[in-house]
Amino acid sequence: MRIVVTGGTGFVGGHAIRRLMAEHELYCVTRKDGILPAHSHVHRVEQDLTSLDTGALPATADAVLHLAQSRLFRKFPDQARDIFKVNTDSTLQLLEYARQAKCKVFVYASSGGVCGYMSRPILETDTPQPMNFYLASKYAAECLVNAYSDYFATVNLRYYFVYGEGQRDMFMPGLVTRVLQGAPVTIAGKTGVEMSPTHVSDAVDATIRALELTRPETINIAGGETTTVFDLAELIGQVTGRKPVYQYEADKGPMAMVANIEKMKLKLGVTPKVTLKEGVERMAKDLLGEQSSTSK
């Protein structure tokens, strides 16, 4: 396949490219500072998604894998324009490109957070309730993707707490680092948020299988185990031999973001393989290795 990829220098995208490049031609949209694998099937398309020129992309393609998101997603409202341009406006431009390039499938990386918190596992058919501007921009892009379903298979993947080796500056590595350093872990109520984290290898399995879909779909991408912030910190302490330190906040009410993954199993044929314990052990080993090398 000839696949146009955005977000190839990001966490999920980087892993996906390394899995895809042996068998597919990849045209990777990236900024000047983006680093891509050196491979004959990996073609660099130097573009900024805030001012995308789709004329720089190949005239025809089989698929678009749109994994990019704004790097400034935490900086609302000051960077609202960047968040919207990357998460939403570039999606429209890529959809139009995909239509003109005669693509067969368009896969968009959304977020499980678009449905907010629920007291039961979240279904793809539940009414979205984005809690902030970032999630609103993601859900708006989903709506745009769905509007193109007459032209190709439109696929929205809602990822839940993806983590793994090599990840930095996100929830899971931040939690591991706090336990390793003895810094307090903040817990709302007794346990903190309930969630279903996804190891990156399982997320990439699902992402690659999504490229084979022939019908419009919205699919949750999540791990097979449910946990809480407290239980995660305890697990991290167990695998690292460090005792977590806690600071408690007032209970904020039901705070669960757990995905129902039956559709992922049925439509993509993917059942999570990496257990939470194995995934946390691998991430902790990765972060401990980094700390050891920087302290020399």
Side-chain angles (χ1 to χ4, degrees):
M1 294 175 70
R2 175 180 288 179
I3 308 170
V4 171
V5 183
T6 72
T9 59
F11 183 53
V12 174
H15 283 269
I17 284 176
R18 285 169 174 79
R19 288 274 302 277
L20 289 165
M21 64 189 185
E23 298 181 3
H24 304 281
E25 291 286 336
L26 306 178
Y27 290 81
C28 302
V29 179
T30 183
R31 291 185 172 95
K32 288 182 179 180
D33 58 351
I35 299 174
L36 294 167
H39 193 281
S40 61
H41 288 174
V42 176
H43 310 285
R44 182 187 188 91
V45 182
E46 197 170 287
Q47 290 280 305
D48 190 318
L49 289 180
T50 61
S51 54
L52 178 63
D53 174 14
T54 57
L57 301 177
T60 60
D62 298 298
V64 171
L65 184 54
H66 188 18
L67 301 176
Q69 70 168 15
S70 171
R71 296 186 292 184
L72 305 176
F73 68 95
R74 294 188 181 95
K75 298 184 177 180
F76 175 80
D78 292 344
Q79 297 296 336
R81 187 176 296 277
D82 184 278
I83 298 167
F84 180 81
K85 280 185 171 293
V86 175
N87 291 358
T88 313
D89 185 61
S90 75
T91 304
L92 175 58
Q93 294 182 63
L94 288 165
L95 285 161
E96 263 301 289
Y97 161 76
R99 182 180 67 85
Q100 295 170 15
K102 307 299 182 185
C103 287
K104 297 179 179 67
V105 60
F106 187 105
V107 178
Y108 176 67
S110 187
S111 168
V114 299
C115 286
Y117 296 120
M118 289 194 179
S119 59
R120 55 163 175 78
I122 298 167
L123 296 165
E124 292 87 350
T125 52
D126 286 324
T127 303
Q129 301 180 58
M131 297 178 289
N132 55 42
F133 185 86
Y134 161 73
L135 292 171
S137 73
K138 283 291 190 181
Y139 179 57
E142 280 194 22
C143 294
L144 296 176
V145 171
N146 291 337
Y148 277 75
S149 61
D150 287 343
Y151 302 99
F152 36 75
T154 50
V155 183
N156 291 306
L157 300 181
R158 292 176 176 170
Y159 297 93
Y160 283 74
F161 298 97
V162 180
Y163 74 99
E165 308 90 291
Q167 187 184 47
R168 300 293 183 267
D169 300 323
M170 296 297 283
F171 168 73
M172 287 286 276
L175 186 60
V176 173
T177 298
R178 295 189 77 78
V179 174
L180 290 175
Q181 295 179 349
V185 175
T186 302
I187 306 289
K190 294 181 179 179
T191 63
V193 177
E194 186 178 8
M195 66 191 79
S196 48
T198 320
H199 190 268
V200 65
S201 62
D202 291 324
V204 171
D205 282 347
T207 303
I208 291 173
R209 292 298 297 272
L211 290 165
E212 301 171 11
L213 293 173
T214 58
R215 296 175 57 85
E217 300 287 359
T218 295
I219 303 176
N220 292 335
I221 308 300
E225 298 170 79
T226 300
T227 187
T228 64
V229 177
F230 178 82
D231 288 339
L232 268 176
E234 289 290 297
L235 178 58
I236 295 164
Q238 176 189 333
V239 303
T240 61
R242 313 290 175 91
K243 187 173 180 58
V245 177
Y246 299 104
Q247 60 181 19
Y248 289 89
E249 293 182 339
D251 195 326
K252 298 178 181 178
M255 295 179 69
M257 197 174 287
V258 175
N260 180 304
I261 59 172
E262 292 308 306
K263 194 172 183 182
M264 180 178 85
K265 295 176 183 177
L266 177 65
K267 298 292 185 178
L268 301 178
V270 173
T271 298
K273 297 182 181 70
V274 180
T275 66
L276 196 53
K277 182 178 180 181
E278 179 187 353
V280 167
E281 286 176 338
R282 286 159 61 171
M283 173 168 268
K285 183 178 180 181
D286 177 48
L287 287 164
L288 280 168
E290 181 182 69
Q291 289 182 8
S292 175
S293 63
T294 56
S295 63
K296 291 179 181 178

